[in-house]
Structures are given as C-alpha cells and as structure tokens.
Amino acid sequence: MTETASSALPMVDAVAVRKNFGALQVLKGITLQVKRGEVMCLVGPSGSGKSTFLRCINHLEQINAGRLYVDGVLVGYEERGDKLHELHPREAARQRRDIGMVFQHFNLFPHMTALENVVEAPLRVKKVSKSAAADKGRSLLEQVGLSDKAAAYPAQLSGGQQQRVAIARALAMEPKLMLFDEPTSALDPELVGEGLDVMRQLALDGMTMIVVTHEMGFAREVGDQLVFMDAGVVVEAGPPRDILANPQHDRTKAFLSKVL
C-alpha cells in the first residue's frame, strides 16, 4: 500500500463491533471511524460500554463479532476466509506497541522513579540503548512539565503529576494512536487542568486520540468528534459544539442536562 493510500485510511475503523461478558451484551454493534490527527471524545453514563470499546481497540479485550482496524490493520486477529482467528499473544503485543493508553488510575510501577517508568518499555520492548532511552525519557518529562521530577517515585507525586508521567510513558513508544480512559476521573478537581493541558498540546501536535471523558469543556474545545454512547450503542455522534448546544436525541438531551 502506498503512503498516500495509507494516509487516506482512517486511523481507527470499527465495524459492527460486539462484546459480551457472559450473557451481558456490553457493545451491540459499534460502527465508527476516527481520522488521522482527529480527537474523538466518547461520553455517556457509566456502564455504557465506553471503556470496554477503548480496551477492544488495543485488544486488551477480545471482541465477539465485527472488525476493528487501526491504520488499516485488523487488530488482534487474522482473517482466513470469512473467519477470524486470534493472533498469538506475542503478535497482539507487537500491534499494541503502536497504540498508547493512559488508564484511569495510571498504573505506574510504584518501585520505579518517574524516569524509570517512562523508559521501561523502550528498553525492554524496543531494545533501545539505556542512554538513548534516558535522553528521550527526560525530553518527554520536560514535554509534560515534569523535568524536575525524574527521580521521584509515584508515591511522591500528586495525582496530576502521576497522570502526566503516564502520558509520557505512553508517548515513549512513539504511538500512532493514543487512548485515554477517563484520564481525569481519579484527580482532585484542581489538578484536572494539568493533564488536559498536555492533551490539548498533543492534539495541536496532530496526535490521533480517543478520549473517554466527562470533561465537556475539553470535548467542546479540543474534540473533532463527540460520540454519545448508552447501553452499548452509539446514540448520537457529530461535531462537539453542535451536539452540546443542540442534541437531537432525547437520551442525549437527558444525559447532557445532568452534566452541563
């Protein structure tokens, strides 16, 4: 595939994605696309399937039906005829290298300093030299405003600082796509702005991002698409300003009336 053809593909293409946990249908046929350089904000009540969908994108959860493509490549499976066969875990992990994820509770290694957390994956997965990884790690910590915290352990950092270390750690693998799972929900209100500022800059730099969020101001200001999910389906999608100002669906109206 030529570079021009590749760049014309959406970065994320979800086609009728379904996910069950036992008898519970969590995703009921999600179809959506995220273009390169676009920021999609996923909003909706708890239990609507937002975080599950995010985890399906990097194959932390297996899908039960449908197809998920990242940069034109089927995620987690190979297609033989009309059947999907799950990739070997090593192959799935290789795909995951290109997808950065910032979890709700950041999941930093408590026994490692901020810098060690950032350089761990490039050292172990990409086999980058220690000096190159450390230089890149310091540069990323500077990028997220934490150049003075390289030697600090997670317990010595505020929630907002831990979040920014988690963002730097994800960026260290030079991902083509960043996933954020309610990145501000575990933070004190006065610390929310720290991480959102870094995310705003990532968006300005052209990073493709999918953000599960309750921060409607961020969605309005930074998002290119806003997708409202409820009960495992996409209820409404479109430009954030349009949906926030004039939602068309009664369920969207009811939800926004509680959060705006």
Side-chain angles (χ1 to χ4, degrees):
M1 187 182 295
T2 66
E3 192 171 331
T4 305
S6 173
S7 63
L9 289 169
M11 182 59 77
V12 178
D13 189 7
V15 183
V17 172
R18 293 180 177 272
K19 173 63 183 175
N20 306 329
F21 290 111
L24 179 65
Q25 285 186 307
V26 180
L27 300 176
K28 303 172 184 175
I30 300 294
T31 295
L32 53 78
Q33 291 186 339
V34 185
K35 297 176 185 172
R36 290 162 196 281
E38 191 171 68
V39 178
M40 174 183 281
C41 293
L42 292 179
V43 304
S46 295
S48 58
K50 309 181 301 294
S51 295
T52 298
F53 177 64
L54 217 60
R55 292 171 66 85
C56 288
I57 292 172
N58 63 2
H59 203 57
L60 289 176
E61 296 286 357
Q62 301 171 343
I63 63 175
N64 295 104
R67 303 285 189 275
L68 257 171
Y69 301 88
V70 172
D71 200 16
V73 176
L74 186 63
V75 172
Y77 299 90
E78 60 178 350
E79 211 159 2
R80 299 180 206 152
D82 60 351
K83 291 191 176 177
L84 292 184
H85 296 265
E86 189 167 12
L87 293 178
H88 187 280
R90 192 181 299 115
E91 290 298 316
R94 189 171 290 121
Q95 286 186 337
R96 208 174 284 130
R97 293 179 193 177
D98 293 329
I99 306 171
M101 185 158 183
V102 178
F103 295 89
Q104 194 169 347
H105 296 288
F106 317 136
N107 295 4
L108 298 177
F109 296 115
H111 61 290
M112 294 183 179
T113 65
L115 182 60
E116 287 168 345
N117 265 282
V118 173
V119 303
E120 176 73 0
L123 283 173
R124 287 186 178 272
V125 179
K126 287 195 166 182
K127 308 301 182 187
V128 175
S129 73
K130 281 189 177 181
S131 61
D135 288 346
K136 176 76 171 177
R138 290 191 189 95
S139 173
L140 286 167
L141 287 174
E142 183 176 359
Q143 182 179 331
V144 300
L146 291 174
S147 54
D148 60 333
K149 299 293 184 182
Y153 289 89
Q156 299 169 312
L157 301 173
S158 71
Q161 290 169 337
Q162 289 181 40
Q163 181 196 45
R164 284 183 281 154
V165 172
I167 293 173
R169 179 179 65 180
L171 292 173
M173 290 295 285
E174 300 179 333
K176 58 180 72 171
L177 169 68
M178 284 283 283
L179 309 175
F180 293 86
D181 188 8
E182 300 197 33
T184 60
S185 66
L187 299 180
D188 294 332
E190 66 267 24
L191 300 177
V192 165
E194 298 177 1
L196 293 182
D197 285 344
V198 173
M199 292 166 66
R200 281 188 190 92
Q201 189 56 53
L202 285 177
L204 288 172
D205 293 342
M207 175 63 75
T208 309
M209 295 160 42
I210 303 179
V211 185
V212 172
T213 185
H214 295 293
E215 300 293 333
M216 298 302 162
F218 175 85
R220 181 188 291 110
E221 176 191 348
V222 180
D224 298 293
Q225 279 195 75
L226 187 145
V227 173
F228 172 63
M229 289 178 61
D230 187 33
V233 301
V234 172
V235 176
E236 193 165 342
R241 290 174 187 272
D242 293 353
I243 290 181
L244 293 173
N246 188 27
Q248 299 300 301
H249 197 284
D250 286 345
R251 184 66 190 91
T252 316
K253 292 175 185 176
F255 174 77
L256 291 178
S257 72
K258 294 186 176 78
V259 299
L260 290 178

